[in-house]
Amino acid sequence: MRPRILVVEDEENVAFVVCTALRLAGYTTVETTSGRDALQVVSADEEFDLIVLDVMLPDLDGFEVCRRLRFDRSEIPVIFLTASDTVEDRVRGLSIGGDDYLAKPFSVEELIARVEAILRRSGKSIESQLLVCRDLVLDDEAHQVSRKGKTVELSLTEYKLLRFLMRNAGHVMTRAQILDHVWSYDFNGESTVVETYISLLRRKVDAEPPHLIHTVRGVGYRLNSR
């Protein structure tokens, strides 16, 4: 099961960026735009592993939402997002039960790193789990890959690419998404590097049937999990 994260953010653009980044990093997201809705969602479904909570919401602010969650004895970790980066706000957020505090504007890489750090402390990190697709296994703790029980030697970039595809198994990943999350730069229209490494991966882990890595013409690549 992927860790489930509740994103509470009323700015549409910010919510889109946060949810997209979290899903591409391997998390399942649920989104709401107000404090009251967030409390109702949590009350109806306690199966959240973390909450990304904007402070400036249209009804209850994020601090009040967190305070009520802690009053109800909810122990779901909370990361605050806010346009204010004052010491007073940081102290207030942490003192009422927040676990971290990220000021806008922020990089998605930093957000993902902080999410992973909190989930690692709570024992729910996706990086501490095996990724398995049929007979293909990636052990991220041991940094090992095997297919049909045989160890496969991969370069660091090949490993990162395979991990990204396995974390998003069953979904089509565009060349732009692959470039951004494996090579960490924006897509500029050149797809050769992605195609080259997909070809390398196919030779090393997908040479024999059943073939797992599939090209979706004109879009990108999908790793089949079934």
Side-chain angles (χ1 to χ4, degrees), residues 173-181 185-187 194 219:
M173 295 292 102
T174 68
R175 292 173 177 84
Q177 289 170 334
I178 293 171
L179 280 168
D180 188 41
H181 288 269
Y185 61 84
D186 293 332
F187 183 54
V194 175
V219 182

Side-chain angles (χ1 to χ4, degrees), residues 204-222:
K204 292 186 177 184
V205 303
D206 209 26
E208 300 178 3
H211 298 297
L212 302 180
I213 303 173
H214 295 264
T215 300
V216 179
R217 191 175 300 276
V219 182
Y221 302 93
R222 180 184 64 244

